[in-house]
Amino acid sequence: MTGHYCDLSNSDVFLTIGSNNVECHPVSAKWVQKAHDKGATWIVVDPRFTRTAACADIYSPIRAGTDIAFFGGMAKYILDNDLWQKEYVRNYTNAAYLLDPGFDFDVKTGMFSGWNEQTKSYEFSTWGYQVDETIPADASPTGAFAWTTEDGVPEFTPPGNKVPKKDMSLEDPQCIFQIFKKHYERYDLDTVSAVCGISVETLELVYKTFGSTGAPDKAGTIMYALGQTQHHYGVQNTRAMGVIQLLLGNIGLAGGGLNALRGEPNVQGSTDMGLLVHNTPGYLAWPTVAKYPNLRTWLDLETSSGGFYTNKPKLFISQLKEWFGSNATLQNDYGYDWLPKLGSDNDVTTMSTFELMNTGFIKGYFLWGQNPAQSTANTKFAREAMSKLDWMVAIDIVETETASFWRAPDLDPATIDTEVFLLPAALPFEKAGTVVNSGRWLQWRYKAVEPFDQAKPDLEICDLLWKEIVKLYKDEGGANPEPILNIKWDYDIDGKIDPRAVAQALNGYVIEGKKLLTTFGDLKADGSTASAMWIYAGFYANNDAPLDPSEQKVGARGREDKGGLALFQQWSWAWPLNRRVLYNRASADVDGKPWDSSRSLVNWTGDAWDNNDVADFVASRVVDGAPTPVAPNNNAFFMNWDQIGRLMIHSLDMPVPEHYEPFESPTDNALNGRENSPMIRFADKESVKKGTREEYPIAVTTYSVVEHWQSGSQTRHCPALVEAMPHQFVEVPEKLAEERGIKNGDLCRVFNNRGSIHVHAFVTPRLHTLLINGKEVHQIGLPHHWGWASMYSTGDVVNDLAPNVGDPGSYIPEYKAFLVDIEKA
Amino acid sequence: METTRRGFLQVSGLAVFAGLTYSLSTQTKAFASEVDPDWKLIRTEESTSVCCYCSGGCGLVISVRDGELINIEGDSDHPINEGGLCSKGASLFQLRNVIDPETREVIPNPNRVTRPLVRRAGASDWEELSWDDAIEEIARRVKDTRDATFVEKDKGVIANRCDGIASLGGAQLHSEDQYGVVKTMRGLGLVAIDNQARV
């Protein structure tokens, strides 16, 4: 979330799209309701009339997978009807920047300029700004890169800063505003209506209502979840929403923003932590063979020419120092080469790992509380791939479908040689540590009871395994033991591994004397500071009580609410630096005056900043040894090198979101001449088994219910929840049920080329038969919480049906829109 | 002496002994008084926690007596949930303990795995093994696979990568657990590391 849960109470208009927040994030609804009670308007757009829709003022159905068409239409409506926030767009976005004259989009082929057929990817030379001049990096004593000359800082070449050409009148045909406007000319109400299956009247009402938040003193927010991300263009769905919020001037405002309601209690933390192929903790680039063969190339390429990331080497060197301790020195590039480098021969994100297991390339598999035999896309294929593994180690609280994949109804254990270890994990309240919610609040969980029987906290399991592996390499040698033996592993307190010691490492410290840091601004690139996770600097920084989480910010329980905007600045701690609303500079005009004085996050009084939130911009600078306020400027997005919000950008697959159809779609693309995004991942894999709309005419979407959670491995083990929601079902629109002779409660078979499942029918008006491009399309819905492994409630695995294709940026599968057929069993 | 429940938790932070009595569902003043001996929460220690389902971060108050879980409910002081919980949060107690339908006694949830288990090649069921044996066996397999699939150089560049092992998950763990996972897995040379954020 760019804001946080309580901030929802500050909104004037809500748009829930790609989320069923009343059921799946019930506490969010509490805060929406508070605003609703004060007169806010709530819009829900969803394929299904959800429980959220039942609470809303305006409901619109939509065909799953057509969000870019919907938002493209909204962009056009906002511009055509002059609803955009002009001062905001002109000053805080790249609307005025001139784009390369070679930029083009060909509607007939559905391709942007720069496609390289050899590499099957875009080259970005025509997607960038026209540049006036390049200012060389300033390493003089007063320059941004002065620190690069200090002892201990590795040598590298800071980049020069490009100065883009602009037309502040926004009239130049080559300026981004005009190109953006032209791009969405095709997205008129009639076309969008036909693509999305929404009536023109409803579309107009939704667009007009949300567009009203373009008034400078209004705030609109968008809440979304996996309904937006689980598409092969999920990243562009998200961008489309971001662009709408920039046009309306909603990013950075209290009650504004783009709010991802994330699906796990600490998935914000696991994303922060770089439990992902391409990241180190804190969103730095993981080293690769091709791009970053050595530390110098990493520093050269990753250091930004402008904005905060000019400091990136300080973050990365401090991370290496925490990782390798005193073994990391200037002479050995701070241990850079001991980090494993990604190759370019194999993709190794989740979906690809099953392909690599299937060919025997991956032989061993660790699972830390995840259940892919139930939850990945095309689970049947994933289970077959797992059966080729030599070994698996599942760390969990129950026997999941993954730990017991060899017991799957479609597999024969006698033919599977995989050895599976199942290690009992402690429950969240049987151990201590930090969780990070969607609003980036870090909160401490205290240990309430001992782990039951022989269960252990995951950190302790890591510790046991690590010490045993280190011992084996010390005693026996083996494939390069250096990266293992040089790691610093010093998280014991009183002779036992302790999360408080890890919290200190995450927070960061000055190595000399291990003094905890209150800000990442104090990190250095000279090897004198260590920090496992720069964005958490300050959450555990009280040097007077390093062993007492209740005396740390992470344990803070102050109820004060300075400014009365439900910021709760003294309760827990939000990364970064306890900032509650990201991009809050944009909540005020170029002179630093809040657009709406009743929603003041930051405010320039003429000679100082009077802020309710921690500034997300350079608000003060040290001049002659004293902090001095910095007068307002338009650098509202200073994490970008151009320090500006981007309506268009050279991202991976599209410079501006364009509609394509789902991999398996019930219709042709009516907006351009190409079916799927040219950069769809894994569509060519044999395991995918694409189905045609002739074979499988029914569109399907998957979703969650409030009583169960994810793969059900926790909730299907709680009798009260099983009693509340005992069985799996398929929601079938009345018209389809009539056509197929399906009655409420009938057992049905739902199937495609990848799988076949049996579920009971729930015939309902909540799902609609839509008119799409002139033809009727039925959409059905499947909740996805069931599998064979539970004492209380079992069912078939819905994800057997989902296609294992995905987005080129996020590599997230397309669970939310594919094709099946349904029949009475 | 009068102290608010909120202040009480604030001062102590960690588990507090609740020999005093006060309502758990509202923020009331804590004061010594007669205690109903049958009251569910008599002689319990409290600690605060956070729900383990969606990403809302709802606050919990957990009550424990003689080392055993007695009750979990919403933390009324918590600014996000203000004491409320959804159906999943309200049933958190059952992750550890359930009521035996026959005896009406509180028993450990029988679905829970509480001992290390191994399923051998071709077998159709689990075998129990000790933690020591489990760790020793797993470490041996990790080393064998790492040694057999390690890539020291790739296209002439130092790679120090272990191709033969993948790691998945972590979004339910504490951040400190997660750092343990990322450091050990990356430390072995793994690059195939993902978690629920990829779902």
Side-chain angles (χ1 to χ4, degrees), chain A residues 334-354:
Chain A
Y334 291 106
Y336 180 83
D337 280 334
W338 293 325
L339 296 179
K341 290 193 197 79
L342 266 167
S344 33
D345 296 337
N346 293 301
D347 174 65
V348 291
T349 58
T350 308
M351 278 187 280
S352 295
T353 55
F354 300 114

Side-chain angles (χ1 to χ4, degrees), chain A residues 494-514:
Chain A
D494 295 334
K496 195 168 187 241
I497 186 90
D498 196 307
R500 293 170 298 177
V502 180
Q504 293 168 17
L506 294 175
N507 180 82
Y509 49 91
V510 177
I511 293 170
E512 181 83 43
K514 201 166 182 183

Side-chain angles (χ1 to χ4, degrees), chain A residues 619-745:
Chain A
S620 85
R621 260 205 185 92
V622 176
V623 179
D624 299 331
T628 309
V630 174
N633 55 41
N634 69 338
N635 294 333
F637 294 88
F638 82 138
M639 298 308 281
N640 289 336
W641 70 267
D642 42 6
Q643 307 197 52
I644 205 143
R646 293 156 173 173
L647 295 180
M648 289 177 69
I649 175 63
H650 50 89
S651 63
L652 195 62
D653 51 345
M654 310 179 204
V656 57
E658 171 67 14
H659 171 74
Y660 298 99
E661 285 294 326
F663 175 63
E664 291 177 354
S665 165
T667 187
D668 290 331
N669 190 349
L671 277 157
N672 65 62
R674 199 180 164 90
E675 273 318 280
N676 302 141
S677 164
M679 286 194 65
I680 183 171
R681 284 284 192 266
F682 317 128
D684 55 346
K685 299 283 183 197
E686 205 181 310
S687 62
V688 173
K689 300 181 193 164
K690 182 173 186 169
T692 65
R693 73 184 70 127
E694 288 72 29
E695 296 168 280
Y696 302 107
I698 311 295
V700 60
T701 192
T702 60
Y703 55 87
S704 303
V705 297
V706 68
E707 298 84 358
H708 287 290
W709 188 69
Q710 312 299 36
S711 76
S713 57
Q714 280 163 254
T715 53
R716 282 187 288 117
H717 296 277
C718 292
L721 295 170
V722 170
E723 196 175 340
M725 185 58 80
H727 296 295
Q728 198 165 23
F729 55 89
V730 53
E731 283 194 61
V732 184
E734 287 165 333
K735 194 160 185 195
L736 173 64
E738 197 180 311
E739 278 178 23
R740 299 292 175 96
I742 295 168
K743 290 196 190 59
N744 207 26

